[in-house]
Amino acid sequence: MVEFTIRQPDDFHLHLRQNEILKTVAPYVVPFGRVLAMPNLAPEPILTGAQAKAYRSEIYRAFGELGVECQVLTTIQLTEQTTAEMIFDAHDAGVVAAKAYPKGQTTNSDNGILNYDKLHEPLLAMVDCGMVLCLHGETPRPHTFILDRESKFLPILDNLVFTFPKLKIVLEHVTTKDAVERVRNLPATVAATITAHHLVLTLDGVIGDKISPHNFCKPVAKREEDRDALIKAATSGSGKFFFGSDSAPHLKETKECASGCAGIFSGPVLLPVLAEVFKAHNALDELEKFTSMNGSHFYDLPLNDREVTLVQAPLEVPEHIEGIIPFLAGKQLGWQVKA
Amino acid sequence: MVEFTIRQPDDFHLHLRQNEILKTVAPYVVPFGRVLAMPNLAPEPILTGAQAKAYRSEIYRAFGELGVECQVLTTIQLTEQTTAEMIFDAHDAGVVAAKAYPKGQTTNSDNGILNYDKLHEPLLAMVDCGMVLCLHGETPRPHTFILDRESKFLPILDNLVFTFPKLKIVLEHVTTKDAVERVRNLPATVAATITAHHLVLTLDGVIGDKISPHNFCKPVAKREEDRDALIKAATSGSGKFFFGSDSAPHLKETKECASGCAGIFSGPVLLPVLAEVFKAHNALDELEKFTSMNGSHFYDLPLNDREVTLVQAPLEVPEHIEGIIPFLAGKQLGWQVKA
């Protein structure tokens, strides 16, 4: 049996939610040393250090009840009302990153950003205290064609990099060749996360045959040449690209309906999917950099001490997990995480 | 109150289904003089004249029970096994057109065409007896990106036109600027139908915000510039473009699920939607050509005698109709068909 051992990975983009859903998804963080918990909770997003602290406690309480061990890194959400003081407070509360959503472009983003110039004050504060800016990279400009929104966000990224040359910026869950190339060409202060599902899907997985709400997320999966660029970036070993799953649980009834939510619940299959993709591209040796080193370096965190072993053995993905349909539900994968 | 009267329209592409669904959708053909009923029934598609005759009787029986008056034109489905004799039989049975689906690309198309060269014999027979070829214009080539499938079908169309210069060909439900331009430039034997929903939707209506299975059809709606090309073609008065709704009822549970069917049930809103689009483009005067003349001319049918009047008055689109969600459900439109 083929085994493959890597330094324990981190997930630098995860939706843990609250209450019952938090308890449902918590067990799937076990293989990870650290997870960066996203702030776009509903109805109350995490906007301040105090809220982030309370959310972290809530998560640790749930982890504790379930015997889950994993370090939780927290974020706050930037709005056009975020002040420098709120940033310093958040930093004091241990928040490592602030997330900017484009207004109205994804789940719980109605309070997102329309005019990125309005972030000047909080971004200066973030440079001061060394907080990372996480960007959902789609233009907030209304009526932009769905497949162009990421590419049309890149000028906003350029402008942020130009204006704040010392600000660390992560372009989250990139989906296009355009974005990969831009991040590669921008200075070392700029990196990108890549999800597991965007290494697998193209738009054909969403609407190519039937319409598949469980493969629908924002930014939506693009063309094969885009997916190939993502795979090339992830398997390249370049420190500019690291793993952030964007695993986002939604109850089945909010996906399989007339107007289904964006978000893919990939938590239960993350490392098996990554192993499969990296193996298929003869790049298993680069997996550890992508999952366990590049992100730590970028976030100035120590590498994890423990190790995780992947075993080449069939994994049957469950059809559903307490009312949530996981990514690749019902499919068989070729790798398991060794207990 | 603004009223607008046109010669009674025809719908040159309609899915009437069978049994209960046939009875549910039948009342919506009332404004039309003639409808061309599509043959891709499940589990038994209409492949022969005898089947078409039986299906026509079934439809007329349902119409009769409901007091619906409308002439039914029938089609057979071409397969790679269709013979010249089957074509002549179908023609004798009153079938006016034969439909070729690309294998596996849309609802009930598993028996569709992979190699269009295999249609040589039946197409020659169709030229002989004057039957029209209706094409679902997406390439049957597997793994073609969803948004490219129509454009990549156009060489197949060119080849058919070149090989059978006397064959009348309708490229059904065109969705791209490419297809519109190609049809415009091909000889007068080639025309295209345009649906009501493709004059309204872009891909943003399917996956731009939430994921909307009731706006999902094949070919899927494309970019704004494509929709604009369709509007321009439909409102141009050119005899090469006429109306075919492709209204396709699917039960709610087969749309709002993990793997939803392609097809939009636009039947209940067809003329109001068309009136709205044509009015918005100052082209109400061209509506009659699109709905009631160009298609008759192409199919060599007499123009309808009766008239239909559209009234500018609010129409509340029902949320559902006996388990089927109509196009624009719950929305308000600005036009009604006068009783």
Side-chain angles (χ1 to χ4, degrees):
Chain A
M1 194 180 293
V2 176
E3 292 195 354
F4 191 77
T5 296
I6 55 172
R7 190 181 293 275
Q8 194 176 33
D10 297 316
D11 182 347
F12 279 105
H13 184 135
L14 183 61
H15 295 276
L16 282 168
R17 312 287 192 219
Q18 296 175 282
N19 307 318
E20 285 314 301
I21 295 195
L22 168 55
K23 285 181 193 156
T24 301
V25 306
Y28 300 102
V29 307
V30 168
F32 294 89
R34 287 170 299 225
V35 295
L36 184 66
M38 286 295 122
N40 60 336
L41 304 180
E44 291 290 333
I46 307 295
L47 302 176
T48 68
Q51 287 172 316
K53 236 170 155 168
Y55 184 39
R56 187 169 47 213
S57 300
E58 183 182 344
I59 296 169
Y60 276 133
R61 226 167 18 245
F63 281 12
E65 279 172 32
L66 297 159
V68 169
E69 273 181 54
C70 178
Q71 191 185 341
V72 177
L73 305 172
T74 48
T75 56
I76 57 167
Q77 184 172 342
L78 290 174
T79 72
E80 293 184 3
Q81 283 72 48
T82 304
T83 63
E85 200 185 336
M86 288 162 77
I87 294 297
F88 292 125
D89 275 357
H91 182 253
D92 289 346
V95 170
V96 301
K99 174 80 183 257
Y101 291 96
K103 188 173 173 62
Q105 294 298 324
T106 188
T107 305
N108 304 337
S109 63
D110 289 345
N111 58 346
I113 313 299
L114 203 54
N115 179 359
Y116 285 76
D117 293 342
K118 295 207 175 154
L119 300 181
H120 201 85
E121 193 196 321
L123 294 183
L124 275 180
M126 286 167 62
V127 173
D128 261 16
C129 62
M131 259 168 74
V132 171
L133 173 63
C134 294
L135 293 171
H136 179 116
E138 292 192 288
T139 176
R141 201 185 156 136
H143 312 304
T144 305
F145 187 64
I146 178 72
L147 302 185
D148 298 338
R149 290 178 199 171
E150 184 170 281
S151 299
K152 294 205 170 169
F153 180 81
L154 298 178
I156 296 176
L157 173 64
D158 287 347
N159 196 44
L160 288 168
V161 176
F162 179 79
T163 313
F164 303 97
K166 291 188 176 160
L167 180 64
K168 282 193 185 176
I169 300 177
V170 182
L171 189 62
E172 303 273 20
H173 44 51
V174 287
T175 62
T176 57
K177 199 178 166 192
D178 280 359
V180 165
E181 284 176 1
R182 190 68 58 101
V183 168
R184 198 178 274 130
N185 292 327
L186 283 168
T189 50
V190 183
T193 55
I194 299 176
T195 74
H197 54 270
H198 286 120
L199 296 175
V200 174
L201 290 174
T202 67
L203 187 62
D204 284 348
V206 189
I207 53 166
D209 179 20
K210 305 281 188 107
I211 190 164
S212 304
H214 302 298
N215 288 345
F216 172 64
C217 61
K218 295 287 183 74
V220 76
K222 307 291 191 310
R223 287 179 176 264
E224 204 168 303
E225 67 202 64
D226 294 305
R227 182 183 57 185
D228 290 349
L230 299 177
I231 292 172
K232 210 171 260 185
T235 59
S236 69
S238 158
K240 280 185 157 281
F241 300 98
F242 55 90
F243 181 59
S245 72
D246 196 15
S247 177
H250 289 277
L251 291 172
K252 180 180 170 184
E253 57 267 30
T254 66
K255 295 287 281 179
E256 300 181 13
C257 59
S259 185
C261 290
I264 294 179
F265 179 45
S266 53
V269 298
L270 294 172
L271 295 181
V273 166
L274 290 177
E276 215 151 276
V277 171
F278 276 66
K279 179 83 160 74
H281 293 83
N282 295 315
L284 267 183
D285 288 345
E286 302 294 344
L287 181 60
E288 188 177 51
K289 286 187 202 147
F290 180 66
T291 58
S292 321
M293 299 178 70
N294 298 346
S296 313
H297 290 150
F298 190 84
Y299 273 89
D300 261 333
L301 295 167
L303 296 179
N304 291 317
D305 288 330
R306 290 162 54 195
E307 290 183 328
V308 162
T309 298
L310 292 157
V311 188
Q312 204 165 17
L315 174 71
E316 309 285 342
V317 184
E319 294 281 358
H320 58 90
I321 295 170
E322 295 182 41
I324 304 168
I325 313 295
F327 184 48
L328 302 175
K331 297 281 196 306
Q332 194 187 74
L333 299 176
W335 293 82
Q336 294 183 6
V337 178
K338 196 169 177 179
Chain B
M1 192 180 290
V2 177
E3 292 196 354
F4 190 78
T5 296
I6 55 173
R7 191 181 292 275
Q8 193 176 34
D10 296 317
D11 182 346
F12 278 105
H13 184 135
L14 182 62
H15 296 276
L16 282 168
R17 313 289 190 217
Q18 296 174 281
N19 306 319
E20 285 314 301
I21 295 196
L22 168 56
K23 285 181 195 157
T24 301
V25 306
Y28 300 103
V29 307
V30 168
F32 294 89
R34 287 170 297 225
V35 296
L36 183 66
M38 287 295 123
N40 60 336
L41 304 182
E44 290 291 332
I46 307 296
L47 303 176
T48 66
Q51 287 172 314
K53 235 170 157 169
Y55 184 39
R56 188 169 46 212
S57 301
E58 184 183 344
I59 296 169
Y60 276 133
R61 222 165 23 245
F63 282 11
E65 280 172 32
L66 297 158
V68 169
E69 274 181 54
C70 178
Q71 189 185 341
V72 177
L73 306 171
T74 49
T75 57
I76 58 166
Q77 183 170 344
L78 290 173
T79 73
E80 293 183 3
Q81 282 72 49
T82 304
T83 62
E85 198 185 339
M86 289 163 78
I87 295 296
F88 293 125
D89 274 356
H91 182 253
D92 288 346
V95 170
V96 300
K99 173 80 182 254
Y101 291 96
K103 188 174 172 63
Q105 295 299 324
T106 190
T107 305
N108 305 337
S109 63
D110 290 346
N111 58 346
I113 312 301
L114 205 54
N115 180 358
Y116 285 75
D117 293 342
K118 295 207 173 154
L119 300 181
H120 201 85
E121 191 196 323
L123 294 183
L124 276 181
M126 286 167 64
V127 173
D128 261 14
C129 61
M131 260 169 74
V132 171
L133 173 63
C134 295
L135 293 170
H136 178 117
E138 293 192 287
T139 175
R141 203 186 152 135
H143 312 304
T144 304
F145 187 64
I146 177 72
L147 302 185
D148 299 338
R149 290 178 199 172
E150 184 170 282
S151 298
K152 294 205 170 167
F153 179 81
L154 297 178
I156 296 175
L157 172 64
D158 288 347
N159 195 44
L160 288 167
V161 176
F162 180 79
T163 313
F164 303 96
K166 293 189 178 160
L167 180 63
K168 283 193 184 178
I169 300 177
V170 182
L171 189 61
E172 302 274 18
H173 44 53
V174 287
T175 63
T176 58
K177 199 177 164 189
D178 282 359
V180 165
E181 284 175 2
R182 190 68 59 101
V183 168
R184 199 177 274 130
N185 292 327
L186 283 168
T189 49
V190 183
T193 55
I194 300 177
T195 73
H197 53 269
H198 286 119
L199 296 176
V200 173
L201 291 174
T202 68
L203 187 62
D204 285 349
V206 188
I207 54 167
D209 179 21
K210 305 284 187 100
I211 190 164
S212 304
H214 302 299
N215 288 344
F216 172 64
C217 60
K218 294 288 184 71
V220 76
K222 307 290 191 311
R223 288 179 175 264
E224 205 168 303
E225 68 203 62
D226 294 304
R227 182 184 55 185
D228 289 350
L230 299 177
I231 292 173
K232 208 171 261 183
T235 59
S236 69
S238 158
K240 278 185 157 284
F241 301 98
F242 53 91
F243 182 58
S245 72
D246 196 16
S247 178
H250 290 277
L251 291 172
K252 180 180 170 183
E253 57 267 29
T254 66
K255 295 288 280 179
E256 300 182 13
C257 59
S259 187
C261 290
I264 294 179
F265 178 45
S266 53
V269 297
L270 293 173
L271 295 181
V273 166
L274 291 177
E276 216 153 276
V277 171
F278 277 66
K279 178 82 159 76
H281 292 82
N282 295 315
L284 268 183
D285 287 346
E286 302 294 345
L287 182 60
E288 188 178 52
K289 285 187 203 147
F290 180 66
T291 58
S292 321
M293 298 175 71
N294 298 345
S296 311
H297 290 150
F298 190 84
Y299 274 89
D300 261 332
L301 295 167
L303 296 179
N304 290 316
D305 288 329
R306 289 163 55 195
E307 291 184 327
V308 162
T309 298
L310 292 156
V311 187
Q312 204 165 17
L315 174 71
E316 308 286 342
V317 185
E319 294 282 358
H320 58 89
I321 294 170
E322 294 180 43
I324 305 168
I325 314 293
F327 184 48
L328 302 176
K331 297 280 196 307
Q332 193 187 75
L333 298 177
W335 292 82
Q336 293 183 9
V337 177
K338 197 170 177 179

